[in-house]
Amino acid sequence: MIQTTPGVTADRLACALGVSERAARRYVAMLREAGIRIDAATGRYGGYRIGRGLRVPPLTFSADEAVALVMAALDGHHDVADPGQPVSTALAKIMRSLPEAVGAKAETVRRAAAPAPDRAAARPDPRITTSLVEAVELRRPTRIAYRPESGSPTTVDVEPWAVVVRHGRWYLLCRSTHLDAIRSYRVDRVTNVEVSTGSFVRPADLDAVRALEEHLASGWEYATEVVINARLDELRRVPGTLGRLERMDTSTTLLRGSTSSPRWYVEQLAALRSPFRIVGSPEIRAAAAELAQSLLA
């Protein structure tokens, strides 16, 4: 309002905003504290106006918030320094909109940081991602074209429940209407999205992250069963991708799941701080023995 009506007075601001004149003056003080220069003049033609040469930014951040935003972008997108990437151009626009005192620290972090590429991360197409998120929000049945890691491209009809970001990868958690089963699809492998005009009911108690991890831990060729000498509440940091934790007694917990890579699974078990025993699962036991020998060597 100050930008579009130079010379606007505190009483006119108060009237337009439906607040007291004192509150209007407090709002102006808050803008100044955010680093926006606002000049005030007294007299017949006095009032507030934006300081010369300064454009009001669409958003205002504290210095800590701006630095945190840059760090989050660098952590999630290691190509943020590439001027050809959308995340880089978007971040640059935000940096230009900030008052110099606020944006200086953030710009320093942006220039000086050297993030290492995350080879496991996969950047999905923003348009595909947006379409899927909208389908989730509107609860619309959706047909997706999917390119699996192996095999031929396929088309799947789903009820999209959630889009989950996990370890640098984006997943669509959904119900396959053809199979009547929970499925997850890598968003970066979705090549097309067609949203229908119908609707569906999503499970009311859905925990999307937990459901995704449980799905990723089941259905693989090697079954796993591990007895851990620790209480269930002491194992909250065990990733859901290893399987489901079940209480056996007051001091013992059962981990039951499956994997396609015994070596990878054993490497995750090795990070446990509690003693454990692999029950059955000959492939997992063999991988554990191999890993133990290599560590001893």
Side-chain angles (χ1 to χ4, degrees), residues 107-131:
E107 185 59 33
T108 299
V109 172
R110 184 186 181 211
R111 288 196 312 266
D118 184 353
R119 296 179 180 178
R123 311 294 179 215
D125 186 323
R127 291 169 296 180
I128 293 289
T129 307
T130 299
S131 297

Side-chain angles (χ1 to χ4, degrees), residues 64-85:
D64 288 343
E65 289 172 334
V67 170
L69 180 64
V70 172
M71 291 174 66
L74 289 168
D75 184 55
H77 284 265
H78 299 301
D79 52 4
V80 70
D82 185 345
Q85 295 295 324

Side-chain angles (χ1 to χ4, degrees), residues 80-235:
V80 70
D82 185 345
Q85 295 295 324
V87 67
S88 177
T89 57
L91 190 60
K93 290 178 182 178
I94 294 176
M95 291 297 101
R96 288 196 298 269
S97 74
L98 296 175
E100 183 177 358
V102 176
K105 292 182 180 179
E107 185 59 33
T108 299
V109 172
R110 184 186 181 211
R111 288 196 312 266
D118 184 353
R119 296 179 180 178
R123 311 294 179 215
D125 186 323
R127 291 169 296 180
I128 293 289
T129 307
T130 299
S131 297
L132 290 175
V133 170
E134 290 177 347
V136 168
E137 289 297 309
L138 297 174
R139 304 192 180 185
R140 303 292 194 196
T142 303
R143 173 169 293 178
I144 63 173
Y146 193 70
R147 184 187 66 253
E149 186 174 4
S150 60
S152 303
T154 184
T155 301
V156 188
D157 291 321
V158 301
E159 294 178 351
W161 289 356
V163 172
V164 182
V165 183
R166 179 182 171 277
H167 301 318
R169 291 183 177 177
W170 294 63
Y171 293 88
L172 173 66
L173 178 69
C174 58
R175 171 183 168 268
S176 169
T177 54
H178 173 66
L179 300 174
D180 189 21
I182 297 177
R183 290 290 183 266
S184 63
Y185 297 95
R186 288 260 302 269
V187 177
D188 59 294
R189 293 178 182 163
V190 176
T191 58
N192 190 52
V193 177
E194 297 178 15
V195 181
S196 77
T197 56
S199 63
F200 64 87
V201 178
R202 185 171 55 191
D205 58 348
L206 176 67
D207 182 335
V209 174
R210 183 177 182 83
L212 174 70
E213 291 189 335
E214 289 181 353
H215 175 71
L216 293 178
S218 63
W220 302 103
E221 54 263 50
Y222 302 112
T224 64
E225 194 169 324
V226 182
V227 176
I228 307 173
N229 294 343
R231 299 194 310 271
L232 180 60
D233 60 359
E234 295 175 333
L235 300 173

